[in-house]
Amino acid sequence: MQVSHIITVVEGQPNKELIQNLQPTSLFLSELNRQYDGITMFRKIRTICLYETKTSPTVERSSSGTLRRSGPREILVEPSSACYGASSANDKIPIDEDHSRIVKFLYEDPAYKIIVFNIGQILEETRLLNHQDLSSSLHSTDVQQQAAYRSTSYLENEQVSTALNFPENPSAARGLLETIENVMNLITGKISDTNCLASLENWIERSRDIVACSLRLQDDVRAVETCLKDCGRSILESLDFDDSSDRIQSIDNVSQGTYEWIFENDRVPFVEWLRKGSGVFWIQGKPGSGKSTLMKHIYLSNETQKIFCEGSDPQTSFIAAFFFHNRGSNRQKTLEGLLQSLLREILRKYPRAYELLLPVWLEVHPRSRGEWTPRMLHRALHGVLSQNRFSLRLLFLIDALDEFEGHADEVAYFVSSLHEKLAGTSSATEVKICCTSRPWKAYKDHFARYPGFAIQEQTLDDLRMFVRDKLNPQTAPSMFSTTERYSQLDSEGFQSLILNKAEGVFLWVKLIVNEILKAVIEGKDEESLKELIETTPVDLEELYTETLRHIPEESRIDVYIMLEIVARSKRALSMDEFVATFLCATSLDANRR
């Protein structure tokens, strides 16, 4: 920005001298540029510069002494100034705005998308650089070479063995160094035996008070510990996927006061199983009966964690959940997604578990670019479940087995085998699995011998509470205040009509209550409301078919196209993507006709 453009603004003020020091020929500005160049070069900082392309009115002082933006229009910051320090020509980005609006955008502005795109590029480059740096460090022998180089002087130093609380036993130092070497060999893929990790932990505990004379030995221990922590973080990152929490967020939360019976022993045996049981607990139910809502409640409730941890160490007792979703991405409906999600949850809540995943992960990284294959995921989970290094209690909550993409027998066998394969082994891991599904034959064959219940036999009180709340004139006074014809909507008789028809299907109750409220707004009489209840199919497939029949014939093709787009998308589409796909499909359809 030229000093002449702003000198009028600071005329007569203390900061006028500072502004004058920002002239292109200023020594002060030259020094700032030199320091900036040094910082960006040594820290390898990529700089992206944006510059304005539209002119702005300059400031001038009126005869009355007031400042006005009424002067000649000019580019206030020239591209050469705005783009100083840009990392490359491609990092000089023009923004078609004036000086005031160059950083003020709405979401739909093209400039906003340009900036977001470039920020995304920087983040991706940073992630790849970190990945490469870690790969290099893991496959470097520097630490090993240093340890080997230092070992002779350590072993000759009697003070080291004394500091390690092993008087006159120089083999103590040798044992620690050998353990360090084994751990580094494990990290670099030369060996696969993870027992050295437990040995390292023991050595570290016994050598916390090493005296100053053995600081170099402490450095090696710290270096290995740091490297292992980096491995743990990298394993966790490699198991993450973008839409891992999409499904649980889309499931309705429980209505206030509902589903609390799950923690009542006299209603269902869930709490007893959680405390003393083993194996699988199977919750079955009709489509739309509220299985996923219940599973979300179990997962998020503090009561579940409290009961599960009774009589055990809460520091080694963890809950991991997965919600199958057949309309979601590939990872949301496959065994690979289930395995990856469970492993991520275990490692996130219990970082020490990286020891169990490390041998498998070293096969993945870096040759597979961090991608876990199905075989490796199976091996990794088996390593967690079959380990005998430390006590570990796991509760897996697996929702909607019927939304698994493959054959029902495959996922049912997998779930039951999680527990059965550990029976009679010396594993220090205890695992329980609570799962939900529709009552299909494959699930009955595998799970009928385990405790559980049918959810539609337990939700009558929850449904009644929901209906009473939604149809109560006190909770929606504006809807009912205009007429007294609907005074019976919150009566036991009217609500029983809904509940008896529902047969425990929570989704149908929600749909019919919404239809009733819509009919009230439209002014339908009470007899019409009862007819609506009696004629609406409770079977969801029939209900959806009936809904499609009510769509005007001229709109049906468009509706079918929309449904196909949603059903066949590999991931959730943004609104822009959905509209673009729909317009493309309808354009092709119009051309065919």
Side-chain angles (χ1 to χ4, degrees):
M1 179 179 290
Q2 294 183 29
V3 171
S4 60
H5 291 156
I6 55 175
I7 199 69
T8 304
V9 179
V10 297
E11 189 67 42
Q13 297 183 28
N15 56 349
K16 180 180 177 181
E17 185 176 345
L18 173 63
I19 297 300
Q20 289 175 330
N21 275 330
L22 296 180
Q23 297 275 8
T25 57
S26 164
L27 293 176
F28 175 73
L29 196 58
S30 176
E31 178 62 18
L32 285 180
N33 291 341
R34 187 187 67 78
Q35 292 180 19
Y36 176 82
D37 291 342
I39 291 171
T40 54
M41 181 178 69
F42 285 111
R43 296 188 182 179
K44 299 179 180 178
I45 296 174
R46 179 184 171 190
T47 305
I48 296 178
C49 300
L50 313 176
Y51 62 92
E52 63 211 59
T53 60
K54 289 184 178 179
T55 59
S56 305
T58 53
V59 177
E60 60 181 10
R61 194 177 296 274
S62 68
S63 57
S64 62
T66 58
L67 297 174
R68 283 193 264 177
R69 297 179 63 193
S70 55
R73 299 187 68 90
E74 295 189 32
I75 298 290
L76 296 187
V77 180
E78 294 292 336
S80 59
S81 176
C83 297
Y84 181 86
S87 300
S88 70
N90 292 332
D91 291 330
K92 300 176 182 180
I93 302 171
I95 300 295
D96 193 26
E97 293 291 354
D98 62 23
H99 188 72
S100 296
R101 294 191 55 80
I102 194 171
V103 291
K104 301 172 184 175
F105 316 114
L106 298 174
Y107 174 77
E108 60 269 17
D109 287 351
Y112 174 85
K113 295 178 180 178
I114 291 172
I115 293 171
V116 170
F117 173 79
N118 279 277
I119 291 174
Q121 273 195 324
I122 291 175
L123 293 175
E124 180 62 13
E125 289 170 6
T126 303
R127 186 187 68 80
L128 291 174
L129 283 172
N130 289 340
H131 186 81
Q132 291 167 3
D133 290 344
L134 178 61
S135 173
S136 300
S137 67
L138 293 180
H139 291 269
S140 168
T141 58
D142 288 349
V143 176
Q144 290 170 278
Q145 290 172 348
Q146 291 175 22
Y149 175 78
R150 296 171 182 173
S151 61
T152 305
S153 60
Y154 292 154
L155 297 178
E156 291 173 352
N157 191 334
E158 295 181 2
Q159 289 180 320
V160 172
S161 59
T162 303
L164 287 167
N165 294 321
F166 297 105
E168 301 177 359
N169 185 5
S171 65
R174 182 182 291 108
L176 176 55
L177 289 166
E178 288 176 354
T179 301
I180 290 174
E181 184 176 2
N182 286 336
V183 171
M184 295 310 300
N185 283 335
L186 174 66
I187 293 173
T188 56
K190 294 181 179 178
I191 62 173
S192 59
D193 185 359
T194 60
N195 287 328
C196 58
L197 295 173
S199 298
L200 178 67
E201 186 172 324
N202 292 333
W203 278 112
I204 291 172
E205 287 301 318
R206 299 168 75 180
S207 61
R208 292 294 181 191
D209 299 323
I210 296 178
V211 293
C213 66
S214 56
L215 285 177
R216 290 177 298 175
L217 189 57
Q218 287 184 348
D219 289 342
D220 282 337
V221 171
R222 291 194 190 98
V224 173
E225 285 184 300
T226 300
C227 197
L228 290 173
K229 287 178 182 178
D230 288 342
C231 286
R233 283 191 291 268
S234 296
I235 294 172
L236 184 58
E237 289 173 4
S238 70
L239 289 168
D240 200 13
F241 53 94
D242 293 339
D243 49 8
S244 58
S245 60
D246 285 1
R247 175 54 181 155
I248 189 171
Q249 291 175 357
S250 68
I251 297 170
D252 289 341
N253 292 319
V254 296
S255 300
Q256 187 174 5
T258 61
Y259 289 108
E260 293 304 327
W261 47 263
I262 189 66
F263 299 114
E264 298 174 6
N265 250 334
D266 57 339
R267 288 281 296 273
V268 292
F270 178 71
V271 170
E272 186 67 18
W273 172 82
L274 203 54
R275 283 188 175 128
K276 303 176 183 178
S278 61
V280 177
F281 191 93
W282 181 37
I283 301 173
Q284 58 169 296
K286 299 176 181 179
S289 56
K291 301 182 296 296
S292 294
T293 300
L294 174 61
M295 187 64 93
K296 181 178 180 179
H297 178 55
I298 292 172
Y299 179 51
L300 297 180
S301 174
N302 292 330
E303 197 68 18
T304 307
Q305 181 74 24
K306 176 184 173 184
I307 296 170
F308 180 59
C309 292
E310 286 180 4
S312 62
D313 183 0
Q315 300 300 315
T316 57
S317 300
F318 306 102
I319 301 173
F322 183 78
F323 293 74
F324 277 107
H325 184 36
N326 62 7
R327 297 178 304 283
S329 66
N330 186 62
R331 283 193 179 97
Q332 291 178 302
K333 53 189 174 184
T334 59
L335 276 182
E336 289 74 34
L338 168 63
L339 290 165
Q340 193 165 335
S341 185
L342 294 179
L343 287 168
R344 186 193 69 247
E345 281 291 285
I346 293 169
L347 189 55
R348 184 174 65 84
K349 295 178 178 179
Y350 190 52
R352 187 183 173 185
Y354 80 85
E355 297 178 18
L356 309 174
L357 276 60
L358 186 59
V360 181
W361 182 74
L362 290 170
E363 295 183 18
V364 180
H365 174 83
R367 292 190 296 275
S368 311
R369 297 183 180 179
E371 292 293 327
W372 291 80
T373 66
R375 175 176 167 271
M376 290 172 177
L377 289 168
H378 278 277
R379 281 183 54 206
L381 186 61
H382 180 265
V384 172
L385 299 183
S386 61
Q387 63 87 27
N388 56 13
R389 189 170 301 146
F390 41 77
S391 176
L392 190 61
R393 297 184 70 243
L394 300 172
L395 172 61
F396 291 157
L397 305 176
I398 307 176
D399 180 58
L401 299 182
D402 47 275
E403 297 197 31
F404 168 65
E405 188 175 53
H407 199 281
D409 271 318
E410 181 183 358
V411 70
Y413 171 77
F414 172 80
V415 170
S416 58
S417 69
L418 287 175
H419 166 74
E420 291 171 359
K421 286 183 178 179
L422 297 182
T425 69
S426 59
S427 171
T429 300
E430 175 192 345
V431 62
K432 298 182 179 185
I433 308 101
C434 176
C435 59
T436 71
S437 75
R438 298 181 186 184
W440 293 352
K441 183 179 183 301
Y443 304 129
K444 290 180 180 179
D445 290 346
H446 282 276
F447 304 141
R449 64 185 183 276
Y450 294 115
F453 59 86
I455 188 172
Q456 63 269 14
E457 296 174 3
Q458 306 294 332
T459 54
L460 181 59
D461 291 340
D462 298 326
L463 292 171
R464 181 177 289 109
M465 192 180 303
F466 176 82
V467 172
R468 185 181 298 145
D469 179 62
K470 295 297 181 181
L471 298 183
N472 184 351
Q474 301 303 318
T475 60
S478 61
M479 182 174 294
F480 298 101
S481 60
T482 57
T483 177
E484 296 180 0
R485 289 187 299 167
Y486 308 109
S487 59
Q488 294 184 3
L489 285 182
D490 63 334
S491 68
E492 288 295 328
F494 191 86
Q495 293 175 9
S496 294
L497 185 64
I498 297 173
L499 298 175
N500 292 337
K501 179 74 180 287
E503 299 177 359
V505 179
F506 220 122
L507 181 56
W508 183 85
V509 172
K510 289 183 178 181
L511 293 172
I512 198 64
V513 166
N514 286 337
E515 290 299 312
I516 290 171
L517 294 177
K518 190 189 301 181
V520 169
I521 294 172
E522 294 171 354
K524 299 288 179 66
D525 58 32
E526 196 166 315
E527 287 304 314
S528 298
L529 299 182
K530 290 181 178 179
E531 183 181 354
L532 175 65
I533 296 170
E534 291 168 353
T535 58
T536 302
V538 71
D539 181 87
L540 292 181
E541 289 192 13
E542 290 182 23
L543 176 60
Y544 297 148
T545 302
E546 188 66 22
T547 302
L548 291 174
R549 285 200 195 101
H550 283 81
I551 297 172
E553 191 166 343
E554 62 272 16
S555 302
R556 285 183 186 174
I557 292 296
D558 287 348
V559 173
Y560 291 152
I561 290 173
M562 291 179 185
L563 292 174
E564 281 290 299
I565 292 171
V566 172
R568 296 183 183 277
S569 297
K570 296 294 184 184
R571 59 174 175 81
L573 301 179
S574 68
M575 183 58 69
D576 288 344
E577 290 172 326
F578 179 82
V579 171
T581 306
F582 173 74
L583 291 175
C584 180
T586 51
S587 173
L588 291 172
D589 185 66
N591 291 334
R592 283 197 299 270
R593 287 183 287 182

